[in-house]
Amino acid sequence: CCQRRLTFESLPARQEYKQREELFTNPVGLCFCACRARDYSAPVNFISAGLKKGAAEEAELEDSDDEERPVKQDDFPKDFGPRKLKTGGNFKPSQKGFAGGTKSFMDFGSWERHTKGIGQKLLQKMGYVPGRGLGKNAQGIINPIEAKQRKGKGAVGAYGSERTTQSMQDFPVVDSEEEAEEEFQKELSQWRKDPSGSKKKPKYSYKTVEELKAKGRISKKLTAPQKELSQVKVIDMTGREQKVYYSYSQISHKHNVPDDGLPLQSQQLPQSGKETKAPGFALPELEHNLQLLIDLTEQEIIQNDRQLQYERDMVVNLFHELEKMTEVLDHEERVISNLSKVLEMVEECERRMQPDCSNPLTLDECARIFETLQDKYYEEYRMSDRVDLAVAIVYPLMKEYFKEWDPLKDCTYGTEIISKWKSLLENDQLLSHGGQDLSADAFHRLIWEVWMPFVRNIVTQWQPRNCDPMVDFLDSWVHIIPVWILDNILDQLIFPKLQKEVENWNPLTDTVPIHSWIHPWLPLMQARLEPLYSPIRSKLSSALQKWHPSDSSAKLILQPWKDVFTPGSWEAFMVKNIVPKLGMCLGELVINPHQQHMDAFYWVIDWEGMISVSSLVGLLEKHFFPKWLQVLCSWLSNSPNYEEITKWYLGWKSMFSDQVLAHPSVKDKFNEALDIMNRAVSSNVGAYMQPGARENIAYLTHTERRKDFQYEAMQERREAENMAQRGIGVAASSVPMNFKDLIETKAEEHNIVFMPVIGKRHEGKQLYTFGRIVIYIDRGVVFVQGEKTWVPTSLQSLIDMAK
């Protein structure tokens, strides 16, 4: 093989094949055969030429010479050259094995029979399956790599592809002849000079002004260095000689010799001992100066472009500012014109308000002027100080308008003109009936300073017992004047007069009932009258101490107060002052079937609507039914006429209302009377008895019991209908979702007002009014306001207290 290599080197025609062979051996040119290197210090030895070769051997030698002839890329076999292997990505998990062989895994790891077998166990623990390759997708090979014997003694790849059948099946390749040819020519061109022998022309790059403008920035090489880095000593050892710089900016200005014209071989380290030839033309100082001039020109172009862009932007900005200032100027001119017109109108009003003016200004004309200001000059009217303007112009006219006004005689006088001025002067930004801010609202100040003095004057002369004119007056103005002024009138003017009059009232001597001049104030004052109720009840109690039920005037005085007082206070008043008198009257009642006086009974029954049913039934149980049953027993023991007893029983029963008769205690007493009559009829079996008496009593008993049953059935039917109607209403609205909804539903069923108290809270909980009781709800529990603290109560107790 060494002999063949020397032969190749001596043939210039085979230089190309030599270079191609060296790609597959190594660039140094070492031989891959097993021969030893020559020892030239050894003596000369002769080698026998041997016998003459035969024809077959000479033919084989010629074949070997043909093989040594230089070849081209097209002469190589197709399976020779670089190819692309298909690796990991083409393998699938379903691949059970390789085609290279399937029997070798039977003996895989058979040598572990002489050991503990830990290797096989570890492989199986990590997911290895015998008969399959290693890896996530089982892409590893199963059989070891097979060796293939080379035909001759040539280098690697000299006789074509040396891949085995197993390698081709396990790692298939993709032919890429075009890529292989391109790579071959590229590698081949690197080892030889340019065949034309001409030098490369230098390449020039051009920059247009538009490119410099697009660049839009000054070159970093011309920027001023920072102070702390300006005096740094730098030693440059990158070139042939050592250079010293005293700032980083000098390094940035260092000239780099262009190397575009140098051939490729001169840029590489020489492989031989010859030195590289220096370039023929090199003027680094001139090139540096030229480059500096170019950079300065570029910088100047960029700066001029920036300055031009800045001036253009400034022109656009000034144009927009000019337009904006023109609009502002036009707006200011319009505002000045409008203000001039407004000022003329105000001056005209002031001129006409002078005492010596022949055409004085009236309130209606002033209202029209303000309407004009509001319609045509709205912005100026809203921005102006309307309070001062109204004080100067409107207030004197308003005082003159109400100078002869008597509110009690003409309660509607001035309502229209005040309503008109309300729309003109009231501040929309404040609540129309809001807070007491006189400095911000001209209308509130007008009412307080002009209208209110007339009201104060008339209230001081007003008699509380003549309440109708004052009530009508306030009803006419309640929707016009602010709420806080109405509250001031009621709290500071009306209520003290009423309180003083209640203190002077005497129910025994005054002929005018107190409710006639207190109750008309209920729609306006409502809860404000609560402090008056306690002294009224006290005076009525004192007047009832010597009262007798035969005097019906007490009922006429007390009846209007039943719906005014709370249910609890009314019931307590009745039990304390009326019920004892009625009980005493019933105790004096004499029951005589032959000559009955019913006046005392009528006096008591007449109070049925005033006192509660339970109180009336208690009076009957204590003072009436014992005497009545006793008289019945004594009458039945003296051979009575049962028809008269029946009429007497039915007559007394007809004296009571259905509500009293439906009470269980009253019903039990009448049933007890029927049982007494039945026992009396049954006990006189052998004695003489009125014919048909037993049948009449039995029929009476049956009839009364049937009436009671029918009445109970009718009551149950009514209750069922009411429940059904309430159920339909509840189903139509919604099912109570929380405790508050349940309370609201119960309040609707019992006709009790349930509403929140606006702006009132206790420990962060909203306060509600349930009838006349103040409550709040916390975690499904109702708390009622007591004397000193809040007391939890049940829903039924709350309903009873509200009733």
Side-chain angles (χ1 to χ4, degrees), residues 364-571:
D364 293 335
E365 292 178 352
C366 185
R368 285 194 293 271
I369 291 173
F370 271 79
E371 288 178 356
T372 304
L373 292 175
Q374 190 176 23
D375 295 338
K376 294 184 178 180
Y377 310 105
Y378 180 79
E379 293 296 332
E380 292 76 9
Y381 178 74
R382 288 300 177 188
M383 291 188 297
S384 63
D385 194 352
R386 288 172 290 169
V387 178
D388 296 338
L389 186 62
V391 169
I393 299 176
V394 181
Y395 287 13
L397 298 176
M398 195 68 70
K399 290 179 181 179
E400 185 68 22
Y401 182 79
F402 285 105
K403 183 172 63 175
E404 303 295 335
W405 176 47
D406 188 357
L408 299 181
K409 293 181 181 179
D410 189 2
C411 60
T412 60
Y413 178 80
T415 54
E416 295 181 1
I417 193 69
I418 292 295
S419 300
K420 184 185 295 185
W421 281 106
K422 180 180 180 180
S423 61
L424 293 174
L425 298 179
E426 196 167 28
N427 195 345
D428 297 337
Q429 296 179 357
L430 301 175
L431 293 176
S432 299
H433 300 285
Q436 182 177 346
D437 189 3
L438 298 179
S439 63
D441 198 298
F443 176 73
H444 289 200
R445 185 173 175 180
L446 172 67
I447 295 297
W448 181 257
E449 295 183 0
V450 177
W451 183 83
M452 195 66 181
F454 295 98
V455 177
R456 291 195 192 98
N457 187 23
I458 201 66
V459 169
T460 55
Q461 304 174 8
W462 166 68
Q463 295 297 326
R465 300 198 180 195
N466 187 18
C467 64
D468 293 335
M470 185 61 70
V471 171
D472 294 340
F473 162 68
L474 292 178
D475 285 337
S476 302
W477 288 85
V478 68
H479 300 294
I480 301 175
I481 61 177
V483 173
W484 64 272
I485 293 181
L486 178 63
D487 295 340
N488 182 271
I489 294 173
L490 296 177
D491 294 337
Q492 304 297 330
L493 302 178
I494 303 298
F495 182 77
K497 299 279 288 186
L498 293 176
Q499 190 175 21
K500 185 177 180 180
E501 192 67 23
V502 168
E503 292 176 357
N504 297 330
W505 172 67
N506 188 354
L508 298 177
T509 59
D510 289 339
T511 58
V512 180
I514 190 173
H515 65 269
S516 63
W517 48 274
I518 291 292
H519 288 183
W521 291 103
L522 287 173
L524 287 172
M525 303 188 70
Q526 296 179 354
R528 291 186 177 91
L529 296 175
E530 286 286 347
L532 300 179
Y533 297 155
S534 180
I536 291 174
R537 286 194 295 265
S538 178
K539 289 178 177 290
L540 290 175
S541 299
S542 301
L544 291 173
Q545 288 181 359
K546 297 180 180 180
W547 170 78
H548 192 269
S550 59
D551 186 5
S552 60
S553 61
K555 183 181 178 183
L556 296 177
I557 295 175
L558 294 177
Q559 189 172 8
W561 294 97
K562 183 177 184 296
D563 297 330
V564 176
F565 294 157
T566 60
S569 61
W570 174 258
E571 183 66 21

Side-chain angles (χ1 to χ4, degrees), residues 91-105:
F91 292 92
K92 299 181 181 180
S94 59
Q95 213 169 337
K96 295 184 178 181
F98 291 89
T102 56
K103 296 181 180 180
S104 61
F105 72 88

Side-chain angles (χ1 to χ4, degrees), residues 44 116 145 174 270 341 412 441 472 507 516 585 623 701 779 798:
V44 179
K116 296 183 178 180
I145 298 176
V174 178
K341 295 179 181 179
T412 60
D441 198 298
D472 294 340
S516 63
C585 186
H623 301 286
T701 303
R779 299 179 184 179
L798 179 65

Side-chain angles (χ1 to χ4, degrees), residues 351-369:
R351 186 185 61 81
R352 295 180 62 183
M353 289 183 64
Q354 298 299 327
D356 56 349
C357 182
S358 60
N359 185 18
L361 184 65
T362 62
L363 196 60
D364 293 335
E365 292 178 352
C366 185
R368 285 194 293 271
I369 291 173

